[in-house]
Amino acid sequence: MRIYTPRLTILAMAAILFVDLSFAPACSAGRAEKYAVAELKETAPEALAAEVRDCLGKTGYRVTNSAGKTICDVWLRAELPVLGKFDEQLDVKYPIGPGTLIGVIRFSEPYSDYRKQKVKPGTYTLRYGHQPQDGNHLGTAQYRDFAIVSPAAEDKSPAAMDQDKAMELSQKTTRTTHPAILSLLPPQKRDKLPSMAHDDTLNLEVLVAKTAAKGSASKEIQIELVTVGHAPE
């Protein structure tokens, strides 16, 4: 007995192809939200200790979403201390000593850090740090460069701080046993600075800006701070 096997007509095949192609963009569509940065012509917040405020740049950066809503305001150090000798590693890209103050950040609304921990509105210091190399942190980030977020009321000096102390201080931000952190991505060549860059791999929004470097032959250092997005789960 002959078994009848139905064949797809050209129209049917075209219809299936159309469905497949029309479905693909929905799965791989780019981000709907777009972010922007603008120079903030105001001095750093009065909530900061005078010593900290005095070491910051006169201009800040305001990150907003497509609706114009402010995500955060950032001020970098006017002169950021960097290491005179630095050997770049696969997972460490910044020539900065852990515990070094790199700037401050202000949130006008509730925020969540790179680990989705809740951060209350307010002003916070940003200190450079390395993610620990232990079982609790494996696979959470490709790079170990991070900014440690601490309450401005508790961090009153621009002097370098031991990373463990900075981590402990940051626990007051999250009110947990974990510090609040923001990821730092490796500096890349950008057409315009300051700018917002999008990381397609993890769907992150990155504030890119430069400030003067102090302590090495390089006159400037570029900072790429993740302001929107979270670590992979």
Side-chain angles (χ1 to χ4, degrees):
M1 180 178 65
R2 182 180 179 183
I3 299 175
Y4 173 70
T5 303
R7 295 184 179 180
L8 293 174
T9 65
I10 294 177
L11 289 177
M13 291 178 67
I16 291 174
L17 181 61
F18 175 78
V19 171
D20 286 345
L21 292 177
S22 63
F23 179 73
C27 296
S28 59
R31 67 195 192 281
E33 192 81 79
K34 291 187 178 181
Y35 295 83
V37 61
E39 290 192 355
L40 190 59
K41 301 293 186 180
E42 67 176 70
T43 56
E46 292 294 326
L48 294 163
E51 281 187 272
V52 173
R53 190 168 57 250
D54 290 345
C55 80
L56 301 174
K58 301 300 182 184
T59 300
Y61 305 99
R62 173 160 290 175
V63 177
T64 57
N65 64 11
S66 53
K69 179 182 177 181
T70 298
I71 304 300
C72 62
D73 296 324
V74 176
W75 288 262
L76 296 177
R77 253 180 116 145
E79 289 186 317
L80 181 53
V82 296
L83 301 174
K85 183 178 180 181
F86 172 69
D87 295 323
E88 183 177 305
Q89 302 173 33
L90 289 176
D91 56 357
V92 176
K93 302 297 182 180
Y94 285 86
I96 306 173
T100 298
L101 180 73
I102 59 178
V104 302
I105 192 166
R106 179 175 64 191
F107 304 113
S108 56
E109 295 190 6
Y111 184 82
S112 61
D113 76 346
Y114 192 62
R115 296 184 55 165
K116 296 185 179 180
Q117 300 176 113
K118 294 181 179 180
V119 177
K120 289 188 174 182
T123 302
Y124 299 85
T125 58
L126 298 173
R127 289 185 180 270
Y128 178 76
H130 290 163
Q131 179 174 267
Q133 292 179 303
D134 57 38
N136 293 328
H137 301 87
L138 289 177
T140 57
Q142 182 178 357
Y143 304 101
R144 295 175 57 212
D145 305 286
F146 280 88
I148 305 168
V149 184
S150 299
E154 303 287 343
D155 192 355
K156 300 180 180 181
S157 172
M161 181 185 296
D162 179 78
Q163 176 167 308
D164 288 341
K165 184 177 180 181
M167 293 283 205
E168 182 179 349
L169 188 63
S170 181
Q171 292 174 11
K172 295 184 179 181
T173 300
T174 61
R175 294 171 174 79
T176 70
T177 56
H178 295 285
I181 58 172
L182 298 178
S183 179
L184 289 166
L185 298 187
Q188 299 181 33
K189 185 177 180 180
R190 306 291 185 183
D191 295 331
K192 179 184 177 183
L193 294 176
S195 65
M196 291 298 294
H198 179 72
D199 179 81
D200 292 316
T201 305
L202 295 175
N203 194 27
L204 306 173
E205 302 297 333
V206 188
L207 167 63
V208 185
K210 281 186 177 181
T211 191
K214 180 180 180 181
S216 76
S218 300
K219 295 183 179 181
E220 292 181 313
I221 182 170
Q222 184 169 309
I223 301 295
E224 304 218 359
L225 179 70
V226 174
T227 54
V228 180
H230 305 98
E233 298 184 2

